[in-house]
């Protein structure tokens, strides 16, 4: 439940950031939101809201659906560290894109490393990439490959984020193409693939 509660809070924050974007565009008579406002918004919405909700729903349903040997005691204390890491990351990347100095790099680097480590630990605690047990007879298990692939992409995107964080702490600039690749790994690789897998498992029930 903590994942869903915090995810909803992040959704509220993303709505406030949207209002900030609207105010900026109207007051400045601009047609484009600057990166130092837009990029933190993407992190808040995609990681804070969407990813947190996926983590919460996964923890509640996938051990039952797939017979996973999960470790809920480990996953239960991760929401707060993940939230703090994401907060550091979003503030750091906003300041970094605004042109701030070493403090922004430290915030971004520490937040990114904390977030990457937390997501990896969650994936381990969920047990999604390990052995599965018996499930309800007659239920197709074809959806499971999508869910496993989705969490594999989450680990990949987390690894890419860790690399960016190390580069930031080292004072090096990040290539825009690599940052775009990280965001695609998260949105298409993880989020979309998980949605497809859950749809394959749930939608047939309502026929």
């Amino acid at each position: 439940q903590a994942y869903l509660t915090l995810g909803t809070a992040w959704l509220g924050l993303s709505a406030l950031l949207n209002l900030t974007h609207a105010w900026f565009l109207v007051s400045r008579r601009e047609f484009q939101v600057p990166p130092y406002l837009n990029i933190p918004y993407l992190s808040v919405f995609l990681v804070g809201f969407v990813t947190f909700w996926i983590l919460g729903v996964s923890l509640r349903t996938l051990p039952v659906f797939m017979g996973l040997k999960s470790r809920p005691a480990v996953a239960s204390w991760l929401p707060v560290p993940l939230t703090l890491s994401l907060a550091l990351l979003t503030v750091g990347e906003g300041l970094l894109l605004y042109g701030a100095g070493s403090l922004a790099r430290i915030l971004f680097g520490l937040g990114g490393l904390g977030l990457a480590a937390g997501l990896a630990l969650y994936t381990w605690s969920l047990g999604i990439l390990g052995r599965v047990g018996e499930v309800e007879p007659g239920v197709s298990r074809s959806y499971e490959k999508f869910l496993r692939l989705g969490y594999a992409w989450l680990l990949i995107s987390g690894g890419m984020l860790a690399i960016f964080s190390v580069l930031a702490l080292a004072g090096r600039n990040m290539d825009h193409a690599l940052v775009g690749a990280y965001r695609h790994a998260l949105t298409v690789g993880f989020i979309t693939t998980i949605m497809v897998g859950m749809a394959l498992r749930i939608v047939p029930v309502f026929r």
Side-chain angles (χ1 to χ4, degrees):
Q1 185 175 352
Y3 289 98
L4 305 184
T5 301
L6 289 170
T8 303
W10 283 113
L11 175 62
L13 180 57
S14 69
L16 293 177
L17 290 176
N18 252 329
L19 291 176
T20 303
H21 294 175
W23 175 83
F24 177 90
L25 295 174
V26 172
S27 63
R28 302 289 184 88
R29 295 185 178 181
E30 297 281 351
F31 294 95
Q32 184 175 0
V33 178
Y36 67 84
L37 291 177
N38 188 47
I39 301 303
Y41 163 77
L42 292 177
S43 295
V44 167
F45 185 79
L46 294 175
V47 180
F49 169 53
V50 180
T51 299
F52 266 56
W53 263 79
I54 290 176
L55 300 184
V57 173
S58 294
L59 190 61
R60 179 64 180 85
T61 60
L62 297 191
V64 178
F65 287 170
M66 300 174 62
L68 301 179
K69 296 180 179 179
S70 60
R71 303 165 182 85
V74 176
S76 64
W77 62 262
L78 285 174
V80 172
L82 285 171
T83 296
L84 294 176
S85 297
L86 179 57
L88 290 177
L89 173 72
T90 53
V91 172
E93 65 186 353
L95 292 175
L96 190 60
L97 291 168
Y98 189 73
S102 57
L103 177 60
R105 291 184 175 274
I106 292 174
L107 292 176
F108 178 86
L110 294 179
L113 287 175
L115 188 60
L119 292 175
L121 187 57
Y122 172 90
T123 303
W124 172 78
S125 67
L126 182 62
I128 185 70
L129 301 180
R131 292 183 178 181
V132 296
E134 297 296 325
V135 297
E136 182 181 350
V139 175
S140 172
R141 306 193 72 157
S142 60
Y143 68 94
E144 293 181 1
K145 61 175 69 73
F146 289 95
L147 299 178
R148 288 172 174 268
L149 181 61
Y151 274 96
W153 275 112
L154 180 64
L155 293 179
I156 292 172
S157 64
M160 298 173 73
L161 180 59
I163 293 174
F164 300 150
S165 301
V166 172
L167 291 176
L169 291 173
R172 297 180 59 182
N173 294 325
M174 289 164 281
D175 189 279
H176 177 72
L178 295 178
V179 177
Y182 149 74
R183 194 162 290 118
H184 279 81
L186 178 67
T187 57
V188 182
F190 173 59
I191 295 174
T192 302
T193 307
I194 291 294
M195 291 173 64
V196 171
M198 291 298 286
L200 286 173
R201 176 61 178 84
I202 295 174
V203 172
V205 176
F206 296 98
R207 287 181 178 178

